[in-house]
Amino acid sequence: MRDRQGPEGFGADHLPYGVFSPPGGGPRVGVRYADRVVDLAAATGLPALATGSLDALLALGPSGWAQVREQAALAVADAGVPAYDVATVALHAPFTVGDYVDFYASEHHARNAAAVLRPDAPALPPAWRHLPIGYHGRAQTVVPSGTPVVRPVGQGRPPADGDGTPAFGPTRRLDLEAELGFVVGAGSALGERVAVDAFADHVFGVVGLNDWSARDLQGWEMAPLGPFLGKSFATSVSLWVTPLAALTGAWTDLPGQDPTPLPYLRSADGSTPRGLDVAVEVVLDGEVLSRPPYASTYWAPAQMLAHLTVNGASVRPGDLFASGTISGPGEDQLGSLLEMSTHGRGFLEDGQEVVLRYSAPGPAGGRITLGEVRGRVQPARHVGDT
Ligand code: CA
């Protein structure tokens, strides 16, 4: 038997999934336990876990997920199962991202961002309190934690003293957005909705997520259709996927919704669904800048999925939808540099490294540590080209 209590939030009550290659071996699915990666493919003999991604596991659906989690719990307690020091293995992108949607579910963030970007407009658009606003992002540029982020080049607003020609060059306002991502496992049929109460039938788990943003590109291009190149150059996700089964102790009531949302955004009993008490830390070059609380967001994840599918749009294994920037009410709870800029904080410089850290109440007391999201800014390329 191995020690049942792993340090640093990676104990037997957590067991997040990832894809790793041991020294000299090919990629396979493993679970993180303490500072080790346990070879789940070897432990179970399941072909679905020897594929080099979580894709086949995601597609198994809730009963399959429960069986694999039971096997994972046995595997980490079995000293005969191959396990490797996490520092000695190569970790890979955990799953193939299908469609990617980013929401805008934090009211504190929506109000803060509006105050900076649109000071003369209403803080919240008319629809904001009636539906979780979102946009379809670019799945192909969702990258695993540790991938360098090259400063994007693009158009910005024409300089005030110029002839109206747009600015062009490397972004001067590169930002981070601290978010939580939700990984769809079991898909839905075209034309069908995913009800609020069916959330756990479809969502496999969560990842940490940084929605890198170029504010000057974004500000010039996004009216009236929404985010485009100011967002699509990179979105970083954690290497570990925490299954919902490890978050049973983290569900919490959200601050409250007024007006009461339409019935399709509520549970069958009329109540509004709960959110997750996930604590986030934004770290820049080793300095903790803020601690946004996900429990402070307005819209619940089950409402985001219900809204995403209410028009009959289907989801499939590997689809990813994210919370939007998480900001709390406090000045030390802001999830983007844009919001901190009113307190004198600048944007990202070349060479700086952003780390987003996440933790949540564990299912058996204590806390679990979700996968971190790390990314270092690299200088722009093609700087002289126009
Ligand atoms: Ca975002």
Side-chain angles (χ1 to χ4, degrees):
M1 287 283 289
R2 293 193 176 100
D3 181 5
R4 296 289 297 175
Q5 279 298 319
E8 298 176 12
F10 291 105
D13 57 348
H14 186 189
L15 304 182
Y17 296 93
V19 177
F20 76 104
S21 293
R28 67 203 65 184
V29 172
V31 288
R32 175 82 184 264
Y33 177 69
D35 56 357
R36 300 179 77 72
V37 184
V38 177
D39 188 339
L40 200 55
T44 64
L46 289 173
L49 303 181
T51 56
S53 85
L54 300 180
D55 296 1
L57 171 61
L58 296 180
L60 289 179
S63 61
W65 304 337
Q67 288 172 18
V68 170
R69 186 162 168 84
E70 282 179 20
Q71 290 178 287
L74 294 172
V76 300
D78 181 351
V81 172
Y84 306 86
D85 187 322
V86 70
T88 67
V89 304
L91 290 160
H92 310 291
F95 61 97
T96 307
V97 180
D99 282 300
Y100 165 49
V101 168
D102 194 18
F103 284 93
Y104 196 54
S106 162
E107 180 171 355
H108 300 294
H109 171 69
R111 289 184 178 279
N112 293 339
V116 177
L117 298 175
R118 296 176 296 279
D120 300 325
L124 297 177
W128 202 93
R129 284 177 174 273
H130 296 282
L131 55 86
I133 287 179
Y135 68 95
H136 283 92
R138 188 163 187 81
Q140 192 180 340
T141 48
V142 175
V143 297
S145 174
T147 305
V149 174
V150 177
R151 179 177 298 274
V153 167
Q155 284 197 26
R157 211 176 291 284
D161 57 354
D163 62 0
T165 303
F168 185 80
T171 177
R172 300 170 69 172
R173 306 186 81 196
L174 182 61
D175 204 350
L176 60 94
E177 291 191 341
E179 306 198 14
L180 193 65
F182 295 85
V183 183
V184 173
S188 65
L190 182 65
E192 298 298 320
R193 303 175 179 182
V194 177
V196 160
D197 295 322
F199 178 77
D201 296 335
H202 293 272
V203 172
F204 174 80
V206 305
V207 289
L209 188 143
N210 185 349
D211 176 26
W212 303 93
S213 300
R215 300 301 182 192
D216 37 7
L217 277 60
Q218 184 187 354
W220 174 233
E221 75 180 358
M222 76 180 280
L225 284 185
F228 190 34
L229 304 187
K231 298 279 192 176
S232 64
F233 54 96
T235 306
S236 299
V237 294
S238 60
L239 295 162
W240 298 103
V241 181
T242 293
L244 284 189
L247 289 167
T248 52
W251 292 103
T252 185
D253 289 334
L254 293 178
Q257 299 180 338
D258 183 17
T260 301
L262 291 175
Y264 81 90
L265 292 169
R266 287 184 268 147
S267 294
D269 66 3
S271 65
T272 50
R274 306 183 87 194
L276 286 167
D277 180 15
V278 175
V280 187
E281 273 188 346
V282 179
V283 184
L284 178 62
D285 287 342
E287 177 193 358
V288 177
L289 299 187
S290 66
R291 293 186 168 88
Y294 183 55
S296 69
T297 55
Y298 188 88
W299 292 104
Q303 292 175 315
M304 299 194 294
L305 183 59
H307 185 65
L308 173 56
T309 58
V310 71
N311 65 348
S314 51
V315 291
R316 57 185 165 166
D319 279 6
L320 174 67
F321 61 95
S323 59
T325 306
I326 303 164
S327 291
E331 287 186 8
D332 56 353
Q333 297 179 322
L334 303 174
S336 70
L337 299 177
L338 174 75
E339 292 161 87
M340 298 180 208
S341 66
T342 56
H343 309 295
R345 170 70 61 179
F347 290 91
L348 295 171
E349 307 285 345
D350 291 347
Q352 288 190 311
E353 184 180 52
V354 176
V355 182
L356 304 180
R357 299 189 189 126
Y358 303 80
S359 69
R367 293 189 76 78
I368 61 173
T369 303
L370 282 60
E372 68 176 23
V373 186
R374 187 176 288 269
R376 188 180 295 278
V377 179
Q378 287 192 344
R381 297 175 189 161
H382 312 293
V383 171
D385 302 344
T386 56

PDB file of all heavy atoms in Angstrom, residues 243-251 361-364:
ATOM      1  N   PRO A 243     -11.524  15.550 -12.556  1.00  0.00           N
ATOM      2  CA  PRO A 243     -12.889  15.088 -12.858  1.00  0.00           C
ATOM      3  C   PRO A 243     -13.895  15.718 -11.893  1.00  0.00           C
ATOM      4  O   PRO A 243     -13.557  16.039 -10.746  1.00  0.00           O
ATOM      5  CB  PRO A 243     -12.803  13.568 -12.653  1.00  0.00           C
ATOM      6  CG  PRO A 243     -11.676  13.369 -11.697  1.00  0.00           C
ATOM      7  CD  PRO A 243     -10.688  14.485 -11.971  1.00  0.00           C
ATOM      8  N   LEU A 244     -15.130  15.868 -12.354  1.00  0.00           N
ATOM      9  CA  LEU A 244     -16.174  16.398 -11.469  1.00  0.00           C
ATOM     10  C   LEU A 244     -16.294  15.558 -10.204  1.00  0.00           C
ATOM     11  O   LEU A 244     -16.661  16.068  -9.147  1.00  0.00           O
ATOM     12  CB  LEU A 244     -17.534  16.417 -12.190  1.00  0.00           C
ATOM     13  CG  LEU A 244     -17.782  17.507 -13.236  1.00  0.00           C
ATOM     14  CD1 LEU A 244     -19.251  17.474 -13.652  1.00  0.00           C
ATOM     15  CD2 LEU A 244     -17.409  18.888 -12.725  1.00  0.00           C
ATOM     16  N   ALA A 245     -15.965  14.262 -10.318  1.00  0.00           N
ATOM     17  CA  ALA A 245     -16.065  13.367  -9.171  1.00  0.00           C
ATOM     18  C   ALA A 245     -15.153  13.809  -8.021  1.00  0.00           C
ATOM     19  O   ALA A 245     -15.389  13.434  -6.869  1.00  0.00           O
ATOM     20  CB  ALA A 245     -15.718  11.937  -9.590  1.00  0.00           C
ATOM     21  N   ALA A 246     -14.121  14.594  -8.324  1.00  0.00           N
ATOM     22  CA  ALA A 246     -13.220  15.089  -7.277  1.00  0.00           C
ATOM     23  C   ALA A 246     -13.655  16.453  -6.754  1.00  0.00           C
ATOM     24  O   ALA A 246     -12.994  17.026  -5.886  1.00  0.00           O
ATOM     25  CB  ALA A 246     -11.780  15.165  -7.806  1.00  0.00           C
ATOM     26  N   LEU A 247     -14.756  16.982  -7.300  1.00  0.00           N
ATOM     27  CA  LEU A 247     -15.208  18.322  -6.910  1.00  0.00           C
ATOM     28  C   LEU A 247     -16.529  18.273  -6.133  1.00  0.00           C
ATOM     29  O   LEU A 247     -17.214  19.291  -6.004  1.00  0.00           O
ATOM     30  CB  LEU A 247     -15.358  19.210  -8.158  1.00  0.00           C
ATOM     31  CG  LEU A 247     -14.028  19.607  -8.808  1.00  0.00           C
ATOM     32  CD1 LEU A 247     -14.259  20.200 -10.189  1.00  0.00           C
ATOM     33  CD2 LEU A 247     -13.268  20.598  -7.935  1.00  0.00           C
ATOM     34  N   THR A 248     -16.871  17.097  -5.612  1.00  0.00           N
ATOM     35  CA  THR A 248     -18.160  16.975  -4.912  1.00  0.00           C
ATOM     36  C   THR A 248     -18.203  17.843  -3.655  1.00  0.00           C
ATOM     37  O   THR A 248     -19.286  18.203  -3.191  1.00  0.00           O
ATOM     38  CB  THR A 248     -18.439  15.507  -4.530  1.00  0.00           C
ATOM     39  OG1 THR A 248     -17.304  14.999  -3.818  1.00  0.00           O
ATOM     40  CG2 THR A 248     -18.674  14.657  -5.770  1.00  0.00           C
ATOM     41  N   GLY A 249     -17.044  18.176  -3.099  1.00  0.00           N
ATOM     42  CA  GLY A 249     -17.018  19.030  -1.911  1.00  0.00           C
ATOM     43  C   GLY A 249     -16.933  20.509  -2.231  1.00  0.00           C
ATOM     44  O   GLY A 249     -16.866  21.341  -1.329  1.00  0.00           O
ATOM     45  N   ALA A 250     -16.933  20.851  -3.527  1.00  0.00           N
ATOM     46  CA  ALA A 250     -16.668  22.243  -3.928  1.00  0.00           C
ATOM     47  C   ALA A 250     -17.920  22.990  -4.393  1.00  0.00           C
ATOM     48  O   ALA A 250     -17.853  24.198  -4.623  1.00  0.00           O
ATOM     49  CB  ALA A 250     -15.619  22.267  -5.043  1.00  0.00           C
ATOM     50  N   TRP A 251     -19.048  22.292  -4.543  1.00  0.00           N
ATOM     51  CA  TRP A 251     -20.252  22.986  -5.017  1.00  0.00           C
ATOM     52  C   TRP A 251     -20.728  23.966  -3.956  1.00  0.00           C
ATOM     53  O   TRP A 251     -20.737  23.665  -2.770  1.00  0.00           O
ATOM     54  CB  TRP A 251     -21.356  21.990  -5.359  1.00  0.00           C
ATOM     55  CG  TRP A 251     -21.012  21.166  -6.568  1.00  0.00           C
ATOM     56  CD1 TRP A 251     -20.576  19.876  -6.580  1.00  0.00           C
ATOM     57  CD2 TRP A 251     -21.035  21.599  -7.938  1.00  0.00           C
ATOM     58  NE1 TRP A 251     -20.334  19.472  -7.879  1.00  0.00           N
ATOM     59  CE2 TRP A 251     -20.607  20.504  -8.728  1.00  0.00           C
ATOM     60  CE3 TRP A 251     -21.371  22.795  -8.574  1.00  0.00           C
ATOM     61  CZ2 TRP A 251     -20.499  20.578 -10.113  1.00  0.00           C
ATOM     62  CZ3 TRP A 251     -21.270  22.872  -9.954  1.00  0.00           C
ATOM     63  CH2 TRP A 251     -20.838  21.775 -10.709  1.00  0.00           C
ATOM     64  N   PRO A 361     -12.093  22.959  -2.195  1.00  0.00           N
ATOM     65  CA  PRO A 361     -12.344  22.005  -1.110  1.00  0.00           C
ATOM     66  C   PRO A 361     -12.380  20.581  -1.665  1.00  0.00           C
ATOM     67  O   PRO A 361     -12.995  20.330  -2.704  1.00  0.00           O
ATOM     68  CB  PRO A 361     -13.721  22.417  -0.577  1.00  0.00           C
ATOM     69  CG  PRO A 361     -13.891  23.842  -0.991  1.00  0.00           C
ATOM     70  CD  PRO A 361     -13.182  23.960  -2.311  1.00  0.00           C
ATOM     71  N   GLY A 362     -11.731  19.666  -0.985  1.00  0.00           N
ATOM     72  CA  GLY A 362     -11.709  18.277  -1.442  1.00  0.00           C
ATOM     73  C   GLY A 362     -12.974  17.536  -1.043  1.00  0.00           C
ATOM     74  O   GLY A 362     -13.725  17.986  -0.174  1.00  0.00           O
ATOM     75  N   PRO A 363     -13.203  16.389  -1.671  1.00  0.00           N
ATOM     76  CA  PRO A 363     -14.421  15.623  -1.360  1.00  0.00           C
ATOM     77  C   PRO A 363     -14.385  15.021   0.041  1.00  0.00           C
ATOM     78  O   PRO A 363     -15.437  14.667   0.576  1.00  0.00           O
ATOM     79  CB  PRO A 363     -14.443  14.536  -2.439  1.00  0.00           C
ATOM     80  CG  PRO A 363     -13.071  14.470  -2.984  1.00  0.00           C
ATOM     81  CD  PRO A 363     -12.435  15.804  -2.774  1.00  0.00           C
ATOM     82  N   ALA A 364     -13.200  14.912   0.630  1.00  0.00           N
ATOM     83  CA  ALA A 364     -13.087  14.288   1.952  1.00  0.00           C
ATOM     84  C   ALA A 364     -12.470  15.262   2.956  1.00  0.00           C
ATOM     85  O   ALA A 364     -11.712  14.881   3.839  1.00  0.00           O
ATOM     86  CB  ALA A 364     -12.231  13.026   1.846  1.00  0.00           C
TER      87      ALA A 364
END
